[in-house]
Amino acid sequence: MRLTKKLFILIILAFVTTITVRAQYLESNKDTKMPPASMSYAVDKPDQMELLYEAGDYEFYYNESIDVFAIYDERNNYTWTTGLSMPFNSQIDDLCDEILDVDPRPSDEEILAVCVPKQTNLSAPFEAFAKSFLTVEYYDNSYGIVRASSTSFVTIQQATTSTLFRNDDDPSHFRLDVDYNIVGNFPVQFSVKVNIYFSAEGMRVEVKHEDITGLNANRIAAIIIAPYLGAVGGRVVNFNLENDRYLPLNQAVDNPLTPGYIMVPDGSGALMRFQEYPTTLAAYRGLVYGNDVNQQSLYENGESQFVPLKQPIMPVYGMAHGNRQAAYIAYATKGDSFMEIVATPKSTGTGVKYFNVHQRFVKNNVFWQIYNRSGSGYFTLPETLFDYDIELNFSFLAGDGTNDDYPADYVGMAKKYRDILVDQGKLTLNEETYEDMPMRLDFIMSDAMNSLVGYRDVVTTNIHQVEDILTVLKGEGVNSINSGLYGYQNGGITLGDKHQPNWSNAIGTAREFEKTFANLRAQDIDLSLALDYARINEEQMTLTGRASRHLNGWYSRLILMNDTGPVDVIFFATPQKVREWMVKNFFSTYHLNALSY
């Protein structure tokens, strides 16, 4: 029997050893990949464009026929264009037909210089979007969104004119006036003035609220600036000299992909790399600081059945070409709370063949207007646009950072934006150095549950247990601890008071909390009370005067998935109430706050 057991153990050990030896690491999209390959490019100044201004290392150019600006960077001899710097396909066809009619026949080189490759997978309106410096999205008569771009693309139903003016008193300041005239079943006319400032820091674009005017201007949904700045990819058909025609679409070829990536502030930051993906991908869309529940289409939304996507926590995005060769960041200094970031990958099938990233400043939003208690209603628009100015900045990075400490990669983007926030006074550098990695450890103290009559609290952690746990961790060598206490009062997380603590004897009295705070502070452990002031419910308080209202006049709300807890609908407090409660809580727990600093 013993021999059998030993043999069995040896077999198991051999099997485990085999598994261990054959195991291998599986890659994840969370891994930091190797830098992109270096790109090769010819020094190509946009001399065919009009030179507008020179500042520092930059030369700024403009192509009036397609509303494209070019930024030439002397540091790396690289040119950025705000859109696809090429004629429309219809214009290429006209020019090509003209040169083919010349007698005697021009040389092959002369023909190919005019009959250049044509873009595919782009409709004429989308061509305009990819070239234009300014695009306005507006609602049509059925509240669908239509794009109108500033370039000279003209159809029977849409005519747009744009004119660039120079400020005589400031040669670095230009203004692009764009007049939109959309005719058809629902005529729309509006004008937008765009102020553009060039400097040694890059380019700054400003759209003032007062400079958006015209008939039905309230139908403007959003404003987009330079959506195809640095766009990579594309698919083209070439001209065939044998039969003097362009090749059919099934013989279109992809342009080579420039090595690089798009950076979006998804959580701690995410990179969308320029590469061929084997499947169709959707665009990344993120609202800076999250969604405004009072301005979305519906006043009532259901809780997601999956972990929600992270929303951008900063109004910034960027793009890198090559390996520490050329990059830029775009960041908003006005209008950031209305800003959406859209990053589009090159897609398979018949989708868009470009990698591009841009912003979208929301100026109005269709919402569901209810007119009776049963919830009947209709979609409508507010009579006026959201009142705010837009200010978008573009900073360009070059090289490995030897000269300015800003390498042309995601590290340089982060450093550049950090220093911009420091200069604006929005961020203060923390000079403190940590010998140990800081650790955040939150505690759930209690929450409420249904009872036979009313509700009762379920305590999961009391204040003495918090002190014991943190003291043990400290003794085990876990230093630099920062902790928050959730549900520290009667009613727990769900039903606890917002304006001042309602201490629970089962969790700890005010005196016990004070003693624990003092003991942990003596051990250099940071402990604080944690409370979500924004989310409220009808079991906690009366909503009148406290809950925020949607555009349609009803209270905005979130329907929870759970059907067993005391609350299945969450409302949102007004900003004024949140501020009031925070101040009251601070002063009512001042002795605790003082001990935690």
Side-chain angles (χ1 to χ4, degrees), residues 133-165:
F133 186 74
L134 179 75
T135 291
V136 171
E137 293 181 344
Y138 68 94
Y139 292 103
D140 61 16
N141 57 348
S142 61
Y143 294 120
I145 289 183
V146 181
R147 281 177 177 167
S149 300
S150 62
T151 192
S152 56
F153 168 70
V154 177
T155 68
I156 296 176
Q157 295 184 335
Q158 175 178 309
T160 304
T161 58
S162 59
T163 308
L164 186 69
F165 297 92

Side-chain angles (χ1 to χ4, degrees), residues 220-288:
I220 293 177
I223 288 178
I224 302 172
I225 298 168
Y228 263 54
L229 174 62
V232 167
R235 189 171 176 83
V236 298
V237 290
N238 293 306
F239 188 77
N240 187 359
L241 289 169
E242 294 181 2
N243 58 11
D244 285 346
R245 291 183 179 179
Y246 279 92
L247 295 172
L249 291 179
N250 60 8
Q251 296 185 36
V253 295
D254 290 335
N255 288 326
L257 287 178
T258 301
Y261 49 78
I262 294 168
M263 185 280 294
V264 293
D266 172 20
S268 60
L271 303 181
M272 182 184 293
R273 297 181 183 272
F274 301 150
Q275 64 186 56
E276 299 291 346
Y277 292 98
T279 186
T280 301
L281 300 175
Y284 165 87
R285 307 182 75 94
L287 288 163
V288 175

Side-chain angles (χ1 to χ4, degrees), residues 109-142:
E109 291 76 12
E110 291 173 324
I111 293 175
L112 292 178
V114 175
C115 301
V116 296
K118 294 196 304 182
Q119 298 292 314
T120 65
N121 296 87
L122 293 178
S123 63
F126 203 94
E127 272 193 273
F129 175 70
K131 292 176 170 62
S132 294
F133 186 74
L134 179 75
T135 291
V136 171
E137 293 181 344
Y138 68 94
Y139 292 103
D140 61 16
N141 57 348
S142 61

Side-chain angles (χ1 to χ4, degrees), residues 150-444:
S150 62
T151 192
S152 56
F153 168 70
V154 177
T155 68
I156 296 176
Q157 295 184 335
Q158 175 178 309
T160 304
T161 58
S162 59
T163 308
L164 186 69
F165 297 92
R166 184 193 300 268
N167 188 327
D168 294 334
D169 298 326
D170 181 2
S172 69
H173 177 198
F174 293 80
R175 196 185 74 209
L176 183 69
D177 289 5
V178 185
D179 298 315
Y180 297 93
N181 183 18
I182 295 92
V183 299
N185 295 331
F186 192 86
V188 176
Q189 296 177 348
F190 44 78
S191 300
V192 181
K193 293 181 172 62
V194 184
N195 292 285
I196 304 166
Y197 301 86
F198 300 124
S199 71
E201 297 299 319
M203 179 172 64
R204 178 166 61 91
V205 182
E206 185 179 51
V207 179
K208 296 180 180 179
H209 177 73
E210 63 193 39
D211 288 337
I212 304 173
T213 58
L215 178 66
N216 294 333
N218 72 308
R219 301 191 75 87
I220 293 177
I223 288 178
I224 302 172
I225 298 168
Y228 263 54
L229 174 62
V232 167
R235 189 171 176 83
V236 298
V237 290
N238 293 306
F239 188 77
N240 187 359
L241 289 169
E242 294 181 2
N243 58 11
D244 285 346
R245 291 183 179 179
Y246 279 92
L247 295 172
L249 291 179
N250 60 8
Q251 296 185 36
V253 295
D254 290 335
N255 288 326
L257 287 178
T258 301
Y261 49 78
I262 294 168
M263 185 280 294
V264 293
D266 172 20
S268 60
L271 303 181
M272 182 184 293
R273 297 181 183 272
F274 301 150
Q275 64 186 56
E276 299 291 346
Y277 292 98
T279 186
T280 301
L281 300 175
Y284 165 87
R285 307 182 75 94
L287 288 163
V288 175
Y289 313 134
N291 194 18
D292 186 338
V293 296
N294 290 334
Q295 294 179 348
Q296 57 192 4
S297 295
L298 302 175
Y299 78 101
E300 181 178 277
N301 286 276
E303 190 176 32
S304 174
Q305 299 186 24
F306 52 84
V307 177
L309 298 175
K310 293 183 174 65
Q311 297 293 342
I313 58 175
M314 296 180 182
V316 60
Y317 60 89
M319 181 180 289
H321 288 184
N323 181 20
R324 291 194 163 190
Q325 292 174 276
Y328 76 84
I329 60 168
Y331 59 95
T333 44
K334 292 181 182 178
D336 47 323
S337 58
F338 293 87
M339 177 179 170
E340 182 180 19
I341 297 174
V342 182
T344 305
K346 178 183 177 183
S347 183
T348 59
T350 58
V352 175
K353 297 300 181 181
Y354 282 93
F355 287 93
N356 73 90
V357 60
H358 62 270
Q359 81 311 129
R360 182 176 179 270
F361 291 96
V362 178
K363 291 299 291 185
N364 211 345
N365 198 24
V366 168
F367 68 93
W368 184 250
Q369 180 64 62
I370 297 175
Y371 57 78
N372 61 25
R373 291 185 176 275
S374 65
S376 301
Y378 54 90
F379 282 110
T380 187
L381 270 173
E383 295 183 359
T384 58
L385 298 177
F386 300 147
D387 188 352
Y388 68 92
D389 295 339
I390 297 170
E391 189 173 80
L392 186 68
N393 307 266
F394 297 90
S395 292
F396 301 91
L397 313 178
D400 60 5
T402 302
N403 296 327
D404 57 8
D405 198 34
Y406 302 126
D409 59 12
Y410 64 88
V411 175
M413 297 178 195
K415 286 185 173 182
K416 182 67 175 179
Y417 190 56
R418 176 201 63 189
D419 290 349
I420 288 169
L421 294 179
V422 170
D423 292 341
Q424 293 175 349
K426 296 180 179 179
L427 188 68
T428 302
L429 290 178
N430 186 359
E431 301 297 339
E432 183 178 358
T433 59
Y434 295 97
E435 295 181 1
D436 301 284
M437 178 65 70
M439 176 182 179
R440 175 70 180 185
L441 181 62
D442 289 330
F443 291 90
I444 296 178

